[in-house]
Amino acid sequence: MHTIGELRAALTMGYGFPGDADDFEAELAREINHADPADLTGIVRLVEEFRGRIIARQDPDFDTAVAAAVGEIQEARRTAL
């Protein structure tokens, strides 16, 4: 993904997390409306964030890693009681 158009297409096709396409559009509009034309770092940050979300979601080990982390948190909470 080298353009915002490619990022939008990937999100629209469901390569991110549920709701990411709508969230990206809303946040992009907000960033554009509040951005200083000489400082587009907020837009760059947003594009990097959603590109990372797509990459994470497509990683075959992602779901396993999340499940393991959730299990560890739940176990820690049980032992803390």
Side-chain angles (χ1 to χ4, degrees):
M1 290 171 290
H2 299 288
T3 68
I4 291 177
E6 290 173 346
L7 178 60
R8 279 181 164 145
L11 290 169
T12 300
M13 292 186 314
Y15 286 107
F17 293 92
D20 272 358
D22 292 336
D23 291 347
F24 176 74
E25 292 301 330
E27 291 184 38
L28 180 62
R30 191 174 318 113
E31 286 293 337
I32 289 171
N33 289 332
H34 294 98
D36 176 343
D39 181 14
L40 302 177
T41 56
I43 296 168
V44 171
R45 178 207 50 80
L46 182 68
V47 168
E48 289 173 347
E49 175 187 339
F50 278 87
R51 184 181 292 142
R53 292 172 65 90
I54 290 170
I55 291 167
R57 190 70 177 122
Q58 298 309 304
D59 183 340
D61 297 326
F62 180 80
D63 289 333
T64 304
V66 169
V70 168
E72 290 174 12
I73 292 169
Q74 290 172 334
E75 182 59 31
R77 287 181 178 167
R78 279 192 290 273
T79 58
L81 297 177

